């Protein structure tokens, strides 16, 4: 388990995300400024990929090329950690047990982008009372504005690769993403007093965290995604301390097409065709096969998304 720095991006908030938003690891490394003296970025040139084994939908099927029309067949290749299944807790679900058995390679490090809200580029929501929550659809503190959109439940399973892929119980995850129009709270000129679609959760005994949110929108230059940072503990997360990993979840092509065809996502429907997984400046290196969520659901009842995060 290695420590990855938080990587800030551009500077100027706009209604449309900044043109430098999420231009990828190489761009952000050139502008790297650490918020908590995180030091140089370790392993930037040798980032390992995440095993294609993601929980999420009721079927609990591994992530593979079939999860999205745009993912390649190489998604089915995984590295198996020896005797990893012995580390599953007695209460682990079949999904968690399978994820442990298939664990072996680490989550690719990605940019946090210019809108992290973690203190590395402007506002710091991590030190605000109320940020620890499962439902992140509403703002907290001085506002209770709720972000509208198709419901989405996201589950991450954290595994410690250096210790035989044991669940990373007690770790904390900060997750954030844009609204259905592609805007980020705290940064967009119309949302500077809002902090919705941001929150922290502590991993349970099986290394799992779950967030209830809405389906993110699509904006030009990026494939639909969710940002997250992993901290060693809740104390580290809420004091904006050192992070273990910074990465992103890629949402599936099929789910995006269904959601963006629904009411309220007209802007996303126009933007979505302009970027593919292969042309995305974050996921494009491998088509997102190691960060592609396993997804199920429908617009009418909402979607579930899951990803195994090996650290």
């Amino acid at each position: 388990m290695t420590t990855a720095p938080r990587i800030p991006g551009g500077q100027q908030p706009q209604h449309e995300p900044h043109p430098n938003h999420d231009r990828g690891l190489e761009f952000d490394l050139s502008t790297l400024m650490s918020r908590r003296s995180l030091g140089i970025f370790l392993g930037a040139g040798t980032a390992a990929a995440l095993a294609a084994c993601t929980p999420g939908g009721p079927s609990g099927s591994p992530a593979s090329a079939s999860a999205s029309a745009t993912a390649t067949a190489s998604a089915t290749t995984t590295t198996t950690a020896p005797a990893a299944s012995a580390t599953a807790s007695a209460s682990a679900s079949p999904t968690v047990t399978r994820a442990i058995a298939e664990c072996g390679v680490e989550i690719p490090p990605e940019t946090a982008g210019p809108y992290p809200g973690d203190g590395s580029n402007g506002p710091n929501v991590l030190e605000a009372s109320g940020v620890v929550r499962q439902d992140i659809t509403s703002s907290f503190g001085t506002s209770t504005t709720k972000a509208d959109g198709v419901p989405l439940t996201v589950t991450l399973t954290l595994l410690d690769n250096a210790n035989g892929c044991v669940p990373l119980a007690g770790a904390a995850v900060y997750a954030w993403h844009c609204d259905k129009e592609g805007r980020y709270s705290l940064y967009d000129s119309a949302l500077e007093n809002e902090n919705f679609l941001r929150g922290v959760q502590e991993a349970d005994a099986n290394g799992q965290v779950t967030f209830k949110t809405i389906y993110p929108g699509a904006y030009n230059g990026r494939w639909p995604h969710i940002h997250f940072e992993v901290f060693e503990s809740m104390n580290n997360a809420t004091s904006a301390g050192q992070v273990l990993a910074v990465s992103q979840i890629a949402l599936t092509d099929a789910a995006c097409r269904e959601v963006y065809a629904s009411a309220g996502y007209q802007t996303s429907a126009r933007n979505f065709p302009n970027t593919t997984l292969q042309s995305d400046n974050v996921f494009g290196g491998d088509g997102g096969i190691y960060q592609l969520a396993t997804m199920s659901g429908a617009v009418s009842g909402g979607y579930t998304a899951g990803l195994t995060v090996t650290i």
Side-chain angles (χ1 to χ4, degrees):
M1 178 171 65
T2 57
T3 299
R6 185 178 293 106
I7 309 171
Q11 297 295 323
Q12 298 299 322
Q14 306 177 30
H15 178 77
E16 287 289 330
H18 193 284
N20 285 345
H21 178 48
D22 295 359
R23 289 177 57 185
L25 185 60
E26 182 177 353
F27 172 83
D28 285 286
L29 283 173
S30 68
T31 57
L32 180 61
M33 293 294 292
S34 175
R35 178 193 54 180
R36 287 291 186 270
S37 300
L38 298 183
I40 63 172
F41 184 62
L42 303 179
T46 57
L50 171 67
C53 50
T54 57
S59 61
S61 58
S64 66
S66 62
S68 170
T70 58
T72 65
S74 61
T76 58
T77 302
T78 61
T79 303
T80 302
S85 60
T87 64
S89 72
S91 60
S93 69
T95 295
V96 174
T97 301
R98 187 198 66 251
I100 292 172
E102 295 174 350
C103 172
V105 290
E106 297 181 1
I107 186 76
E110 306 290 6
T111 173
Y115 310 123
D118 60 5
S120 62
N121 183 30
N124 188 353
V125 75
L126 294 177
E127 294 181 342
S129 176
V131 71
V132 179
R133 64 219 184 110
Q134 185 177 75
D135 188 335
I136 63 174
T137 55
S138 297
S139 287
F140 59 93
T142 59
S143 174
T144 57
T145 302
K146 185 174 183 178
D148 295 325
V150 173
L152 174 66
T153 299
V154 180
T155 298
L156 300 181
T157 302
L158 311 179
L159 301 178
D160 186 348
N161 194 39
N163 291 300
C165 288
V166 295
L168 207 55
V173 174
Y174 168 44
W176 73 96
H177 62 83
C178 67
D179 68 6
K180 65 181 181 181
E181 297 180 30
R183 306 174 302 173
Y184 285 82
S185 66
L186 298 175
Y187 292 89
D188 186 89
S189 59
L191 302 176
E192 291 177 350
N193 296 320
E194 306 294 346
N195 52 27
F196 52 57
L197 308 181
R198 300 177 185 274
V200 174
Q201 278 285 289
E202 184 177 31
D204 63 17
N206 292 317
Q208 290 191 312
V209 296
T210 297
F211 294 94
K212 294 185 181 299
T213 185
I214 63 163
Y215 206 97
Y219 52 87
N220 285 324
R222 284 305 319 274
W223 182 264
H225 60 282
I226 297 172
H227 295 267
F228 66 92
E229 296 175 344
V230 181
F231 297 82
E232 186 174 16
S233 67
M234 184 67 79
N235 285 339
N236 274 358
T238 54
S239 63
Q242 193 170 20
V243 297
L244 300 179
V246 182
S247 197
Q248 300 178 26
I249 307 167
L251 304 179
T252 64
D253 179 82
C256 288
R257 291 179 183 276
E258 292 167 358
V259 171
Y260 298 156
S262 66
Y265 283 90
Q266 291 86 344
T267 300
S268 295
R270 292 192 298 270
N271 293 336
F272 179 62
N274 299 332
T275 308
T276 66
L277 269 169
Q278 286 74 23
S279 67
D280 181 82
N281 52 44
V282 170
F283 302 125
D286 56 12
I289 57 174
Y290 300 115
Q291 290 151 284
L292 190 65
T294 295
M295 298 191 67
S296 64
V299 170
S300 58
Y303 289 82
T304 63
L307 187 70
T308 295
V309 179
T310 305
I311 299 171

